[in-house]
Amino acid sequence: MSHPTYSITDLSRELDITTRAIRFYEEQGLLSPERRGLERIYSARDKVTLKLILRGKRIGFSLAECRDLISLYDPSGGNTRQLHSMLAKIAERRAQLEQQMLDIQQMHLELDTAQERCEQALATASDAPSSIA
């Protein structure tokens, strides 16, 4: 039984990613297609790897974090190590996002205060008599 293979164009179209991005992930050692002359032949595992990278990027994981998760991929072992690691990374990412939300709320308050002060200063300046020299 032969396993499905994909060209770089197939993966690009199917996953809505540029061929340049696919080559970048290959250069980073995340993908290892076979070569037939100049043609790259990607395996089903390469496709899964790309999907994991894209999913990881969507939820804010760094490429290094994606690499760590991919290195734990073991379809024969039920992927429990990968899943535990993924849960830990999700918890970390949630904590980072919650801190960013608090930081943004604080920044909003500071902007409100700065805006009020500017508006008060403008109102005071427009009430003052103009001096003509």
Side-chain angles (χ1 to χ4, degrees):
M1 183 174 131
S2 69
H3 296 285
T5 59
Y6 308 89
S7 71
I8 195 168
T9 306
D10 294 337
L11 288 179
S12 173
R13 282 190 195 129
E14 192 170 331
L15 301 177
D16 194 26
I17 182 174
T18 64
T19 55
R20 182 176 179 184
I22 295 171
R23 284 189 297 272
F24 171 77
Y25 296 133
E26 184 183 340
E27 288 166 10
Q28 296 301 307
L30 293 165
L31 302 172
S32 52
E34 289 179 37
R35 296 283 187 153
R36 288 191 196 136
L38 295 176
E39 186 181 10
R40 293 171 167 89
I41 307 296
Y42 295 89
S43 67
R45 183 182 177 105
D46 289 322
K47 182 178 173 182
V48 168
T49 297
L50 264 175
K51 284 182 173 181
L52 288 171
I53 293 167
L54 297 174
R55 184 176 302 137
K57 287 179 56 85
R58 275 195 309 273
I59 59 177
F61 289 171
S62 69
L63 202 51
E65 289 171 315
C66 291
R67 179 180 281 115
D68 291 346
L69 288 170
I70 291 162
S71 71
L72 296 174
Y73 179 67
D74 177 16
S76 65
N79 288 316
T80 55
R81 284 182 54 220
Q82 184 187 39
L83 294 172
H84 284 296
S85 181
M86 179 76 166
L87 286 173
K89 287 185 185 310
I90 287 171
E92 270 179 45
R93 186 69 183 129
R94 278 189 198 278
Q96 289 170 348
L97 288 172
E98 286 171 15
Q99 183 58 55
Q100 286 175 330
M101 286 194 312
L102 291 173
D103 293 345
I104 288 169
Q105 288 171 345
Q106 181 62 40
M107 195 176 293
H108 268 277
L109 292 173
E110 291 176 19
L111 288 170
D112 290 345
T113 301
Q115 181 178 353
E116 286 173 23
R117 286 184 180 156
C118 288
E119 289 169 349
Q120 286 173 355
L122 282 172
T124 304
S126 64
D127 289 343
S130 59
S131 60
I132 301 176

